[in-house]
Amino acid sequence: MTKGKHNPTDTRQRIIDAAFQLFTDHGIEGTSTRQIATLAGVNEVTLFRHFGTKDGLAREVVSCSFPSDALPRLQKVEFGEDLESELYQLTMTIIRLHSERQDFFRFIFANIVSYPEHRDFFINMQQPMLDFLTESLAPECQQSGLDPMVVALEFIAPIVMRSIRRYFLDHVLIEDEEFARTHARMMAAAIRHLQECSP
């Protein structure tokens, strides 16, 4: 490389990293391209040359920051005879993902309300995980006539709410493993009960 020239890949990554930090701390709407360029050590022309618009940069930030190993890690949980154990493993996997990537978790929830034009993009990125949970729970739901997607959403919601309290409010009511055991036990018991009550 010629002395004094910057690697375009490094420049692009510096802009993405700077945008991620500022979008997380101040929101997409509350961050200017000038602030991003300054933090990245480039001028705004360079930013626009790489990403076109702030919207284009925001989409690239989400794409680059989304934990690509999330779905493969969930898929390692094998569903068989012990529903409670499987739900516990799924719960702990999601808790660990949120903990390891709490920066991304904070980024999503800091921006999803104030930047509604990106909601579909955020939702579409999460859809494969929801599809996996829906498909995995379908056999358990079939006998009782439950909608597996509704069950999957009911399974995820308390975990997400707990992570919001933990990473936004710095408030932990119950430790990870105890929460996971209780959550899995309650979900499994509810499904089993409905199976027993179904005609």
Side-chain angles (χ1 to χ4, degrees), residues 39-113:
L39 185 59
V42 301
N43 57 48
E44 283 185 276
V45 174
T46 300
L47 184 153
F48 292 128
R49 188 172 67 245
H50 279 279
F51 302 99
T53 63
K54 187 169 78 168
D55 181 73
L57 173 57
R59 288 179 175 273
E60 188 68 15
V61 168
V62 176
S63 296
C64 292
S65 304
F66 185 78
S68 59
D69 65 336
L71 182 57
R73 287 170 66 174
L74 288 177
Q75 290 172 329
K76 289 181 180 179
V77 178
E78 296 183 5
F79 280 76
E81 298 297 325
D82 190 347
L83 179 62
E84 184 177 324
S85 174
E86 293 146 7
L87 293 176
Y88 168 80
Q89 292 176 57
L90 284 173
T91 303
M92 284 301 299
T93 300
I94 296 171
I95 286 174
R96 290 186 184 116
L97 283 166
H98 286 178
S99 176
E100 292 165 12
R101 290 307 315 273
Q102 57 187 275
D103 53 350
F104 181 77
F105 189 85
R106 286 177 57 239
F107 168 78
I108 290 296
F109 280 90
N111 289 290
I112 198 168
V113 173

Side-chain angles (χ1 to χ4, degrees), residues 14 18-19 42 68-69 101 108-109 124 127-128 132 135 145 152 170 177 195 199:
R14 286 206 316 275
V42 301
S68 59
D69 65 336
R101 290 307 315 273
I108 290 296
F109 280 90
N124 289 339
Q127 193 62 45
F132 165 74
E135 183 179 346
D170 195 27
E177 292 196 8
Q195 286 175 338

Side-chain angles (χ1 to χ4, degrees), residues 2-199:
T2 304
K3 186 176 180 181
K5 295 217 172 177
H6 294 290
N7 184 331
T9 303
D10 292 343
T11 300
R12 185 179 181 85
Q13 190 59 51
R14 286 206 316 275
I15 296 170
I16 290 171
D17 292 343
F20 182 89
Q21 179 182 328
L22 291 168
F23 289 164
T24 301
D25 292 342
H26 306 292
I28 295 172
E29 289 289 348
T31 300
S32 69
T33 53
R34 178 176 294 180
Q35 289 172 309
I36 297 168
T38 299
L39 185 59
V42 301
N43 57 48
E44 283 185 276
V45 174
T46 300
L47 184 153
F48 292 128
R49 188 172 67 245
H50 279 279
F51 302 99
T53 63
K54 187 169 78 168
D55 181 73
L57 173 57
R59 288 179 175 273
E60 188 68 15
V61 168
V62 176
S63 296
C64 292
S65 304
F66 185 78
S68 59
D69 65 336
L71 182 57
R73 287 170 66 174
L74 288 177
Q75 290 172 329
K76 289 181 180 179
V77 178
E78 296 183 5
F79 280 76
E81 298 297 325
D82 190 347
L83 179 62
E84 184 177 324
S85 174
E86 293 146 7
L87 293 176
Y88 168 80
Q89 292 176 57
L90 284 173
T91 303
M92 284 301 299
T93 300
I94 296 171
I95 286 174
R96 290 186 184 116
L97 283 166
H98 286 178
S99 176
E100 292 165 12
R101 290 307 315 273
Q102 57 187 275
D103 53 350
F104 181 77
F105 189 85
R106 286 177 57 239
F107 168 78
I108 290 296
F109 280 90
N111 289 290
I112 198 168
V113 173
S114 60
Y115 211 55
E117 48 265 61
H118 280 261
R119 287 179 188 169
D120 288 344
F121 188 58
F122 294 145
I123 289 169
N124 289 339
M125 293 192 76
Q126 294 288 330
Q127 193 62 45
M129 293 177 64
L130 180 59
D131 290 343
F132 165 74
L133 289 172
T134 301
E135 183 179 346
S136 299
L137 292 167
E140 296 290 344
C141 298
Q142 188 173 16
Q143 181 180 336
S144 53
L146 294 170
D147 184 332
M149 181 172 286
V150 173
V151 175
L153 289 169
E154 288 295 323
F155 170 74
I156 295 171
I159 307 172
V160 172
M161 180 57 67
R162 180 177 181 274
S163 292
I164 290 173
R165 292 179 67 94
R166 182 169 199 146
Y167 302 123
F168 283 86
L169 306 178
D170 195 27
H171 187 227
V172 181
L173 289 172
I174 185 171
E175 292 306 315
D176 292 351
E177 292 196 8
E178 185 178 353
F179 170 84
R181 281 195 299 270
T182 301
H183 180 54
R185 187 176 303 125
M186 290 175 63
M187 287 293 300
I191 292 171
R192 295 299 190 213
H193 174 71
L194 289 168
Q195 286 175 338
E196 292 168 1
C197 294
S198 63

